[in-house]
Amino acid sequence: MLTLGLVLNTVGIGLLCWLIVALAIYALPFFVALNIGVLALHGGAGIVGALLVAVASGALTLAAAQFAVAFSRSMTLRIAIATAFAVPAAVAGYHVALALSQIGGPSPVWREVFACLGAVCIGGSAWTRLTVFAETRRLEPAGGGGDYGSTGSHRRIA
């Protein structure tokens, strides 16, 4: 019985960690949805209306960010959007890793170390999952076009 309990606890903690990593990208849309849902509820939309508004706003936030990252040519805009998604995910990862590290009872220093590592991993996971839709573009010279110079004297011979 003890072995079965240890195995099931290990599997459960592993599934919890997988779920946290898989859902890390949704930290910012959840925050937006929660705030807009509460505003709609206080505005008189009712529970069902506030829930519908919250789900729509969270989905719209995620879709708009993925679209902007995927089709934006500005690297600054891509980095800003990815950072806006990665920071709340990193904060959530910090708190989850801190809570999980308290189960084992290590010293407070090791709890903070594990929590910081969790924040970096979860934030990096959210960053990666958001930027996976971005198209990588090769670097082109300032003249555009694909030749090596604007005068045409250095063109490749096919």
Side-chain angles (χ1 to χ4, degrees), residues 2-30:
L2 182 64
T3 306
L4 180 65
L6 289 173
V7 169
L8 289 178
N9 280 331
T10 304
V11 169
I13 290 174
L15 285 175
L16 178 67
C17 291
W18 170 80
L19 185 65
I20 290 166
V21 170
L23 296 177
I25 194 170
Y26 304 115
L28 179 67
F30 179 75

Side-chain angles (χ1 to χ4, degrees), residues 43-100:
I47 293 176
V48 175
L51 184 62
L52 290 175
V53 168
V55 169
S57 65
L60 184 64
T61 301
L62 181 62
Q66 287 179 341
F67 181 81
V69 168
F71 294 109
S72 174
R73 295 184 81 60
S74 170
M75 187 60 74
T76 306
L77 180 62
R78 286 182 183 180
I79 290 172
I81 293 171
T83 302
F85 273 75
V87 168
V91 170
Y94 173 85
H95 288 291
V96 168
L98 184 65
L100 287 176

Side-chain angles (χ1 to χ4, degrees), residues 76-131:
T76 306
L77 180 62
R78 286 182 183 180
I79 290 172
I81 293 171
T83 302
F85 273 75
V87 168
V91 170
Y94 173 85
H95 288 291
V96 168
L98 184 65
L100 287 176
S101 68
Q102 289 176 351
I103 292 173
S107 69
V109 173
W110 282 109
R111 286 185 213 155
E112 289 297 322
V113 168
F114 289 142
C116 290
L117 286 174
V120 168
C121 291
I122 301 297
S125 171
W127 179 288
T128 303
R129 286 179 57 121
L130 185 66
T131 57

